[in-house]
Each structure stands twice: as C-alpha cells, then as structure tokens.
Amino acid sequence: MVGIVLVSHSGPLAAEVAILAAQIGGAGVPLAAAGGTDEGGLGTSPDLVAAAIEEVDRGDGVILIPDLGSSVLTARLMEGPGVVIADVPFVEGAISAVVTAGSGASLEAVLAAAEESRTFRKL
C-alpha cells in the first residue's frame, strides 16, 4: 500500500490533518505526520521527515504532502525512487490521497487523485 507523509511547519497541524484524513479515509493506510522541528518548534526537520518516510514505506511508494515554503524544500531533499511530492492543498490533498491509497491504488493513481484536489470547488 502507498504510504503518505504530511510535512508541515507545525507538528500539531500535521497531526490533526493526519487524524482527520485517517478518520475519513480509513485507519489502515500508512500515514505519518512530520511537522515542526526536532525540538517541537515551528519549522521543518529533515530527520523527522526521513523517519516518517521509513515508518510508512510498505514498498509501494510514498507520497509527501508539504504545506508551504520550507516544508516543500525539505520534502524535495527526500525525493527519489518511490518517494514523490504532491503539489496539492494540504487538507484536501491529504484526504484524497488517503482515500485512494486505502483502495490499494498505485503510487501514480494516489498522486493523481491528490492532484485532482487542486480543482475541488466548495460551492
């Protein structure tokens, strides 16, 4: 199953979005929050992101969903074979990715579903 890592400047934000996505998309999806600095402050930590990737990697690929700014730069450090970044809205992209990953979809299909969230209309 495809793993998903939420990369945020805020540990609590990443954790809460992960909880929401798991509740909507199913608790069986490998999902991790990697937010904040190593000391729990505001920022991003390559070490936390690397640990989260290792935690969720089941061999089918990992999608990183960063919130903004330096979290994108941190995620880019982790890109490689089987590890891709989704350029998507943080909440909507996370939920779309988790729902699709829960169906057993491929890395490419989960990424495409997350990317569709950029066009979701609320009204």
Side-chain angles (χ1 to χ4, degrees):
M1 185 174 290
V2 173
I4 300 161
V5 176
L6 305 179
V7 184
S8 175
H9 285 77
S10 167
L13 175 62
E16 289 298 324
V17 172
I19 290 168
L20 176 66
Q23 288 175 338
I24 292 172
V29 176
L31 173 64
T37 64
D38 295 329
E39 298 79 30
L42 194 63
T44 55
S45 165
D47 292 337
L48 291 177
V49 176
I53 291 169
E54 187 174 320
E55 177 186 335
V56 304
D57 189 358
R58 303 291 189 272
D60 295 317
V62 174
I63 293 181
L64 307 177
I65 301 177
D67 59 3
L68 53 95
S70 67
S71 68
V72 177
L73 299 175
T74 301
R76 286 189 158 231
L77 293 173
M78 306 299 159
E79 277 184 302
V83 179
V84 298
I85 298 174
D87 179 15
V88 299
F90 196 62
V91 175
E92 293 88 340
I95 292 169
S96 294
V98 169
V99 168
T100 306
S103 74
S106 68
L107 179 65
E108 295 77 15
V110 175
L111 181 60
E115 289 175 342
E116 280 184 44
S117 72
R118 284 188 289 208
T119 62
F120 290 171
R121 295 192 43 89
K122 295 183 182 168
L123 297 177

